[in-house]
Amino acid sequence: MDCKVAIAFMHDYLDRELSKERSAELSRHLDQCPECRRRLDALEKTDALLHSVPAESAPNYMAYRVMKSLPKKRSPKAWTTWVRRHPAMSAAAMFLVVMVSSFFAMWNQSEQLTVRGADLEHVVIEGNTVIVPAGQKVAGDLTIENGVADVQGDVEGNLTIIDGNVTLASTAHIAGKVKHIDRAMDWAWYKVTSWFDTIAYGS
């Protein structure tokens, strides 16, 4: 047996994991190799010394400190529990909040012209008038606030006019709906339906 193999066998021998056949091989090698015999004796003494040292036990307060240092379990807040238990009342309360905020937004809104839409490249603005020229297309929805919409071309979505007017030429084509919002309740309903559309469809 090679000495390197014998050294590997020594560790298995001390861990009581060496088979009888290999133990016999190791024993024959140790009878012929004084160097390996001395090495095994030293390993046995070290092993015996380690086993003679009493095991240190953790102090009694250690478990308390460890448990205290762990992050606390997050408990759901009372209002979230209430919302889950009363979905209808939660929806009604949200509806009321949206309506009130919409009213405040309506009363505080400025008279400035506002144009919103995903595609405004072909939209022409002249003073307070927003023009969709004949032969041009606006992709998606178009919202005009505090202005006049003069649609001569195509709007491939909904056209929403808030506190304004709309003129549709004979060449105009609106793919979606034309929403004309002037009154407070219409405004609130528009905001609420827009909010629900955002929640349901993400846009």
Side-chain angles (χ1 to χ4, degrees), residues 114-120 123 130-132 138-145 149-151 154-162 174 177-179 190:
T114 304
V115 182
R116 293 188 297 274
D119 176 22
L120 302 178
V123 172
V130 180
I131 304 170
V132 179
V138 174
D141 297 340
L142 178 62
T143 302
I144 301 170
E145 186 175 348
D150 183 5
V151 182
D154 298 342
V155 176
E156 298 179 342
N158 295 326
L159 174 63
T160 304
I161 310 298
I162 302 170
I174 311 296
K177 298 179 180 179
V178 178
K179 303 176 184 178
Y190 165 74

Side-chain angles (χ1 to χ4, degrees), residues 41-157:
D41 290 341
L43 288 174
E44 287 178 331
K45 289 178 181 178
T46 303
D47 189 60
L49 180 64
L50 288 174
H51 283 88
S52 66
V53 176
E56 289 289 336
S57 59
N60 295 331
Y61 60 82
M62 183 60 71
Y64 171 76
R65 285 189 177 180
V66 170
M67 294 303 294
K68 191 176 181 182
S69 64
L70 292 175
K72 294 181 179 179
K73 184 179 179 181
R74 295 179 62 185
S75 57
K77 294 183 179 179
W79 69 271
T80 58
T81 304
W82 188 90
V83 167
R84 284 197 294 268
R85 290 182 179 175
H86 306 88
M89 292 184 66
S90 303
M94 183 62 69
F95 179 84
L96 181 62
V97 169
V98 172
M99 281 190 62
V100 171
S101 63
S102 299
F103 280 127
F104 276 110
M106 181 189 65
W107 299 130
N108 294 327
Q109 66 182 329
S110 66
E111 297 298 325
Q112 184 178 0
L113 172 67
T114 304
V115 182
R116 293 188 297 274
D119 176 22
L120 302 178
E121 181 181 355
H122 302 295
V123 172
V124 178
I125 300 176
E126 294 180 355
N128 208 34
T129 303
V130 180
I131 304 170
V132 179
Q136 300 294 340
K137 291 183 180 181
V138 174
D141 297 340
L142 178 62
T143 302
I144 301 170
E145 186 175 348
N146 297 320
V148 177
D150 183 5
V151 182
Q152 304 167 12
D154 298 342
V155 176
E156 298 179 342

Side-chain angles (χ1 to χ4, degrees), residues 1-7 10 26 29-43:
M1 177 184 292
D2 186 83
C3 290
K4 293 181 180 179
V5 177
I7 292 172
M10 289 179 197
L26 178 62
H29 177 78
L30 294 175
D31 290 339
Q32 300 171 2
C33 182
E35 183 66 27
C36 287
R37 178 75 258 175
R38 285 193 293 271
R39 184 185 295 272
L40 179 61
D41 290 341
L43 288 174

